Amino acid sequence: MEESAFGAIPEDIPDDMTKIRIEKSHFTEIPRGAFLHTPTLENLWLNFNDITVINSKGLEGLGNLTELRLQGNKLRSVPWTAFEDTPALKILDLKHNQLDVLPEHALRFLPGLTYLDLSFNRLTVISKEVFQNWPLYQKLQKTEERAATAFGPNVVLALHDNAWLCDCRLKGFVEFIRSLSPPIILMNSYLTCSGPDFRAGKFFHEVELQNCMKPVVSTPSSNISLPQGANVTLRCLAKARPDPTVWWTYGLKIIRGFHESQERVDEDTIRSFLSIPSLHVADRGVYTCTAINFIGNSSVSTHLDVLSPDGSQSSLHTGFSDAPAGDENIYIDIRIAKQTVRGVSIEWHAALDHPAETWFTIHFGRVDADKKEMIYIGPGIHTYSVSDLMPATKYEICVSLKNQAPRPGQCIVFVTGSDITEMEQREKLIHIVVIVLAMVLAVPIGMYACTTDTRFACLEGIIQSWKNRRRDSSPLGMERERQGTFDSLQAASDEGLVNKDSTEDRKAAEFVAKM
């Protein structure tokens, strides 16, 4: 039955069929119990269809099946436990699919195979345990069993034309391939590496793979001092197996504004560069090179200092214009504008006599850190964003004038999201609406936060509460200092979370959470 005859596997197949061949149709699934009523079936050919899913009970009732051919479909994975229902299976053809994973238990329920074809798929790395757990292979490792089957049928494996990644993770599999001897034979014994680049095109028997190794990172210079305006390139060496991912951070955030590049030193070592043009005082600080692979991670730091034109070390005030003394006591109103799973954006406002000359300092770090990172922000800028933070971690971010220490009311504490899966699947944004109940330079009564999940009812409740309280508020009440916190903010939370300065404020927060 060929050429688009079916959109699904027929349900009225005669129960005495021993051979079925359905090809070039457009059904996408082998559903549960698809052949439950054909117990005598021995040969099943389902080549060149659009099958993407095999139900874990899709082969139920096929105790007599000896041949299953699924060539040319769109399978990205196979429920290998489904073969528990086919104990007599001898031929399994899965070539020209899209399989990219072969789990360690894959062959556990295929003890009688004499032909397995996994060629022309997308396999990159598999463990030798896949075959060591194969009952047939275990049986043949016994001397007496090997002698007994010496004149029996060969077992043919087809594994060629996959995207084999020849690094340390493939070491065991390569050794297994080299050790094969009859009655287990390869259809094509010249398996070829597709990567990494320096091994692409080489045969398995031409490569020598070593054990995997956690990254070890080093730098030629841990302290660098250069004058303002100079160009500098920071370097680090990362030695690891397999190749690590390497990046640079400044403080707690990944650097994206400067040029990064890498070069391979040898099979196990990568050199990473970070180029910083025309040094400015704001570029001084600690730069960290981090390397990570599936075994672990390592990092090394370089302290960069910027010298003033006369050759002396730049002080913390270098590059900042002196503002009038009156600016020293100006209150800075800071709020969270947006929060993502692993980052935050803040805005701040301050009434300044000399806005074109006044610099700000961002103090940022973990709440429990003894020393915070300081970022200098030039005149006219009133927003700052930080991303790529650690999940489920409490951070504090403050804004002060010039190089002042932060004062009460100039800091916000927040907690990053804890849903690791969500972060790995595109880091979905959590949009936060923050209503600060105060005018610029007036100390706000409190800070309210509603997640989008509470919809408009939350906002309406807060606005009404604010209107009522504003009528009842005294001038003295408006002078209280506040420090807005988001201590309990979590990814995709359904609660409005607030840290209040008064009993009345806490009641309003409870009202928001209930909404």
Side-chain angles (χ1 to χ4, degrees), residues 36 74 113 128 148 164 208 214 221 240 262 282 316 342 391 513:
L36 187 60
K74 299 177 181 179
L113 276 187
K128 64 180 180 180
W164 298 118
E208 291 294 334
K214 174 183 174 181
S221 179
Q262 295 181 2
L316 293 176
R342 294 182 65 181

Side-chain angles (χ1 to χ4, degrees), residues 98-367:
Q98 301 174 22
L99 300 177
D100 55 7
V101 174
L102 201 63
E104 291 185 5
H105 68 271
L107 306 182
R108 189 169 296 172
F109 301 111
L110 295 165
L113 276 187
T114 57
Y115 180 87
L116 173 62
D117 195 339
L118 294 168
S119 59
F120 295 95
N121 276 276
R122 298 178 180 177
L123 298 173
T124 56
V125 175
I126 64 175
S127 169
K128 64 180 180 180
E129 280 74 18
V130 172
F131 298 95
Q132 290 179 343
N133 293 334
W134 188 15
L136 176 64
Y137 180 76
Q138 294 173 350
K139 179 180 178 180
L140 294 175
Q141 294 310 295
K142 300 177 182 178
T143 306
E144 61 276 12
E145 295 289 349
R146 179 176 289 273
T149 57
F151 300 101
N154 287 325
V155 178
V156 178
L157 297 178
L159 299 167
H160 54 279
D161 288 284
N162 278 282
W164 298 118
L165 183 59
C166 295
D167 62 26
C168 64
R169 292 168 292 180
L170 206 64
K171 181 176 185 292
F173 176 67
V174 170
E175 292 173 350
F176 165 79
I177 293 299
R178 291 174 176 174
S179 69
L180 286 181
S181 60
I184 299 178
I185 61 174
L186 290 175
M187 178 182 292
N188 183 341
S189 59
Y190 290 94
L191 301 189
T192 306
C193 301
S194 293
D197 291 342
F198 61 90
R199 288 198 180 107
K202 291 187 176 182
F203 297 121
F204 276 20
H205 64 268
E206 296 177 326
V207 299
E208 291 294 334
L209 302 180
Q210 301 182 52
N211 292 325
C212 293
M213 180 180 70
K214 174 183 174 181
V216 176
V217 183
S218 60
T219 181
S221 179
S222 59
N223 288 282
I224 298 176
S225 297
L226 289 171
Q228 292 186 52
N231 300 327
V232 64
T233 298
L234 307 183
R235 296 173 173 82
C236 74
L237 282 176
K239 184 179 181 66
R241 302 188 207 104
D243 284 348
T245 300
V246 183
W247 68 86
W248 289 85
T249 56
Y250 178 72
L252 295 172
K253 61 179 182 177
I254 292 179
I255 298 172
R256 303 193 187 281
F258 300 138
H259 178 67
E260 292 184 58
S261 60
Q262 295 181 2
E263 68 177 15
R264 181 172 294 280
V265 178
D266 55 42
E267 290 188 1
D268 301 325
T269 308
I270 292 174
R271 180 182 286 114
S272 179
F273 304 92
L274 177 67
S275 299
I276 306 175
S278 187
L279 283 174
H280 186 271
V281 65
D283 297 325
R284 67 192 300 261
V286 177
Y287 292 79
T288 302
C289 174
T290 301
I292 183 171
N293 64 14
F294 78 98
I295 297 180
N297 63 80
S298 177
S299 61
V300 66
S301 296
T302 298
H303 182 269
L304 175 63
D305 201 2
V306 181
L307 305 177
S308 61
D310 60 6
S312 62
Q313 288 189 336
S314 57
S315 69
L316 293 176
H317 292 278
T318 302
F320 295 89
S321 298
D322 291 332
D327 284 352
E328 297 296 327
N329 296 318
I330 285 180
Y331 181 82
I332 299 175
D333 180 39
I334 175 176
R335 74 183 186 95
I336 290 180
K338 182 176 69 176
Q339 182 160 2
T340 62
V341 175
R342 294 182 65 181
V344 69
S345 296
I346 63 169
E347 296 177 351
W348 64 90
H349 301 279
L352 303 168
D353 293 334
H354 305 276
E357 301 176 3
T358 304
W359 286 65
F360 296 94
T361 303
I362 302 290
H363 305 261
F364 182 72
R366 298 188 184 188
V367 169

Side-chain angles (χ1 to χ4, degrees), residues 15-33:
D15 58 9
D16 60 347
M17 297 286 285
T18 60
K19 296 182 180 180
I20 294 177
R21 178 176 174 181
I22 305 174
E23 297 182 347
K24 300 180 182 178
S25 289
H26 298 293
F27 60 89
T28 61
E29 180 183 7
I30 300 179
R32 182 186 183 99

